Amino acid sequence: GAGVSQSPRYKVAKRGQDVALRCDPISGHVSLFWYQQALGQGPEFLTYFQNEAQLDKSGLPSDRFFAERPEGSVSTLKIQRTQQEDSAVYLCASSLDQRGWDEQFFGPGTRLTVL
Amino acid sequence: AQKVTQAQTEISVVEKEDVTLDCVYETRDTTYYLFWYKQPPSGELVFLIRRNSFDEQNEISGRYSWNFQKSTSSFNFTITASQVVDSAVYFCALTIPNTDKLIFGTGTRLQVFP
């Protein structure tokens, strides 16, 4: 079956531009996660949805970052007024159930480069 | 606070060698879950294993084996008879119930040369 998909795969933005990154989770998966992975580092948690409810956004680095999942399926991560330090790979993951220890299935990521 | 340490930044081996990737974790919680993920050059993280804190039995899956030792807070991963296709970055991760998020280590890049 289809896995987690993300688009675009690559995004180049000029500093100050707004960007929107899309995640299509595996159909029927309740939980959806966003992570940020800087070069040479492990993924770092940004935010978590259970269906359409955003239950944890403690990892969002600033109020320029905003995520939504309005119908409990597709999710969008928006970054306003991008800065160079936002350059990273943004990973989306989904899991079947709402338990935190379920296996998370990851997408291929969106590599964001801010010039 | 929770933390995962992977002290080995990069390991290079020749095919057929055995290799062990180290993972040390920190948590004050008595219930927690440990994971290993593989990240090949394509970038997509691939789940390898999950263990809970109450199950210290070692596990073997083909050429892969995992050694979980609570006494040393370690969850090490061994690849036996490594192959070129094992070349990837391997991440150890930790989660505790009701927090939902995975805490990742910084990863170990494994290069297997023919």
Side-chain angles (χ1 to χ4, degrees):
Chain A
V4 177
S5 60
Q6 294 185 245
S7 61
R9 290 293 312 277
Y10 303 90
K11 177 69 178 178
V12 178
K14 292 183 179 178
R15 190 173 55 184
Q17 281 185 333
D18 298 347
V19 298
L21 312 180
R22 177 187 169 107
C23 172
D24 283 82
I26 294 174
S27 177
H29 276 198
V30 168
S31 297
L32 186 145
F33 306 81
W34 283 98
Y35 293 85
Q36 180 190 59
Q37 186 175 19
L39 188 64
Q41 299 297 313
E44 292 194 0
F45 171 81
L46 292 177
T47 187
Y48 160 65
F49 290 86
Q50 187 181 116
N51 295 307
E52 69 279 3
Q54 188 176 21
L55 299 187
D56 187 347
K57 52 182 181 179
S58 63
L60 296 176
S62 77
D63 58 7
R64 296 186 295 104
F65 287 70
F66 171 77
E68 60 183 5
R69 193 187 185 197
E71 298 179 357
S73 178
V74 171
S75 177
T76 303
L77 176 67
K78 298 179 180 178
I79 309 173
Q80 297 177 324
R81 304 181 302 282
T82 53
Q83 304 294 314
Q84 286 189 324
E85 61 263 28
D86 300 335
S87 295
V89 175
Y90 291 85
L91 296 167
C92 176
S94 69
S95 65
L96 180 61
D97 211 333
Q98 66 268 25
R99 300 172 307 183
W101 58 90
D102 274 349
E103 174 187 349
Q104 294 184 21
F105 295 82
F106 283 80
T110 294
R111 181 177 297 277
L112 173 65
T113 302
V114 181
L115 303 177
Chain B
Q2 293 78 40
K3 184 179 179 181
V4 175
T5 301
Q6 294 180 256
Q8 303 152 309
T9 304
E10 187 163 341
I11 300 175
S12 295
V13 299
V14 177
E15 224 175 2
K16 298 184 182 177
E17 282 187 36
D18 298 347
V19 57
T20 295
L21 310 181
D22 298 334
C23 173
V24 174
Y25 62 91
E26 295 176 31
T27 180
R28 293 181 179 178
D29 296 85
T30 56
T31 301
Y32 52 89
Y33 296 81
L34 296 164
F35 299 77
W36 275 95
Y37 278 86
K38 174 182 180 179
Q39 189 173 43
S42 62
E44 201 163 320
L45 283 155
V46 177
F47 168 84
L48 295 178
I49 191 172
R50 175 187 60 225
R51 303 296 283 176
N52 72 59
S53 53
F54 300 107
D55 184 0
E56 285 193 75
Q57 282 193 351
N58 292 331
E59 183 158 337
I60 298 175
S61 176
R63 295 184 298 107
Y64 296 170
S65 62
W66 291 268
N67 183 358
F68 177 27
Q69 291 194 340
K70 288 178 73 171
S71 60
T72 55
S73 298
S74 65
F75 186 43
N76 297 337
F77 172 32
T78 297
I79 302 175
T80 302
S82 59
Q83 300 177 1
V84 173
V85 293
D86 295 328
S87 297
V89 181
Y90 291 85
F91 290 98
C92 181
L94 165 74
T95 191
I96 59 175
N98 303 319
T99 64
D100 311 308
K101 57 191 171 187
L102 288 169
I103 308 297
F104 285 88
T106 51
T108 297
R109 179 178 298 278
L110 174 64
Q111 294 195 70
V112 182
F113 293 99

